[in-house]
Amino acid sequence: MGFSSSLLLLRRGGKGVVSRHVSASSFFSTSSASLFSTSSTSSSTSPTCLCDDGVFHVTGFSSLVVLSATKFWNLCGNFCFTTSINSIEQISPQRNKTLTEVVFMGSSNVGKSTLINGLCNQKIAKTSKTAGHTRMLNVFDSANSTIRFVDVPGYGHRVKEDQMNLLGAFLEDRINSGNSIITVLLVDSRKGLTDTDVDALYLLQKLKVPVQVVLTKCDKLSPVDVIQQLKESEHMLRDIEGHLRKKYFIGNLSIQPISAKTRDGLVDLKCILWEAHSAFAKDKLS
């Protein structure tokens, strides 16, 4: 039994979460339908088992959502490296209004490139055991130009100030231009939310960038330890929300546990990103 199914039994009594189709603004002002959200819906269903690379994983989303998200990601096709951005001058306007950009942030060596490879089911992002390997914004586009992954330098290890300024300028450009963008903030499950992670959350919320927190490397902990880490991190998020709501808070924060190695949690993150993309698209049509 993988950690996802164990966590479901331990924390949710075997019940999953049914996602809702909402607008982008309300989607990010409510708890996202992550697998281990502390809040439950009134119409929860049994969790869906999805076969991924020959292995069955338990997901908290309904079968309809999983099928819709799977169809979407299949239509995206293969991902390929597009470009690297190493200066503010190289940030070009994004004119494709149907494109959703997903920015992966986190401390050095937290597993950003590994997660991107897991989501794409391809080894397109270079991984390294050496912290601080990524020095630029590396861009990867889907074959149908619907999803763009952006791998950014990890903070906390030899990250220069100009690299962080580059990231801030990129996010600000996309928000000011009305582009569809969401940030996935990776947190090491063995360390939990650090002060630097909290600072990143404040920055993202100040810029009004939607964010999904992901707890990585959960395969390195027991299911019980993962649950304990989730509880502690969620408690910290509730405190953060209290401060953010007074100034520029734009939505509740939730955590999705992930293991790129065992692929547990990847299906749920794909569903979350698909719902975000669908919400953005719906808003642009309204």
Side-chain angles (χ1 to χ4, degrees), residues 57-127:
H57 298 279
V58 178
T59 168
F61 287 85
S62 69
S63 58
L64 178 61
V65 171
V66 171
L67 289 173
S68 298
T70 301
K71 181 180 179 180
F72 168 78
W73 286 102
N74 287 339
L75 289 174
C76 284
N78 290 332
F79 281 71
C80 65
F81 171 77
T82 304
T83 187
S84 290
I85 303 172
N86 58 15
S87 69
I88 294 178
E89 291 73 25
Q90 289 183 337
I91 299 176
S92 58
Q94 177 48 252
R95 305 187 188 282
N96 183 357
K97 298 304 180 181
T98 64
L99 176 72
T100 295
E101 293 180 293
V102 184
V103 179
F104 294 82
M105 285 182 62
S107 61
S108 297
N109 211 25
V110 74
K112 296 183 294 298
S113 300
T114 301
L115 179 55
I116 290 175
N117 291 338
L119 288 171
C120 298
N121 205 19
Q122 303 170 244
K123 291 185 178 180
I124 58 171
K126 293 182 179 180
T127 60

Side-chain angles (χ1 to χ4, degrees), residues 6 20 26-27 68 128-129 132 140 151 184 210 224 238 244 283:
S6 300
R20 294 168 293 173
S26 59
F27 178 85
S68 298
S128 174
K129 293 183 179 180
F140 307 89
D151 189 10
V184 176
V224 173
R238 300 292 81 79
L244 292 173
D283 275 3

Side-chain angles (χ1 to χ4, degrees), residues 106 147 178 206 283:
I147 293 290
K206 184 177 181 179
D283 275 3

